[in-house]
Amino acid sequence: MDVLSDVLGMMRVKGTLSRRSEYRAPWGVTFPRVDHVSFLVIESGSSFMQVDGQAPIALETGDLVMFTPGHDVSLFDHPDTPTIPYAQVLETA
């Protein structure tokens, strides 16, 4: 078994939900705090992620991010780009 499978097994994952999104600059999205673990895969391109107002982290193609519960997370094309709530993104999809 691989390490990710071991971790997911220990976490007792009970459900899945998947969504594929494509964004073009300028874009920025803020996700609400959640009480579950979420994953993000950068399939192509690059972006920045900011957690709890800390310094932005650059993400590139192939990066896998695990979001743990209870954190404010924003993703954007550039650290100066304003963000909108993810709920607004879902309304226009």
Side-chain angles (χ1 to χ4, degrees), residues 23 27-31 73-77 81-87 89:
Y23 300 104
W27 65 272
V29 180
T30 299
F31 296 88
V73 177
S74 295
L75 297 171
F76 31 78
D77 68 312
T81 302
T83 62
I84 62 170
Y86 188 61
V89 173

Side-chain angles (χ1 to χ4, degrees), residues 1 11 15 31 34-35 40 48 52 54 59 68 74 76 82 93:
M1 238 184 191
M11 293 170 52
F31 296 88
V34 293
D35 61 356
L40 166 72
F48 290 87
D52 291 335
Q54 296 178 13
L59 301 175
T68 56
S74 295
F76 31 78

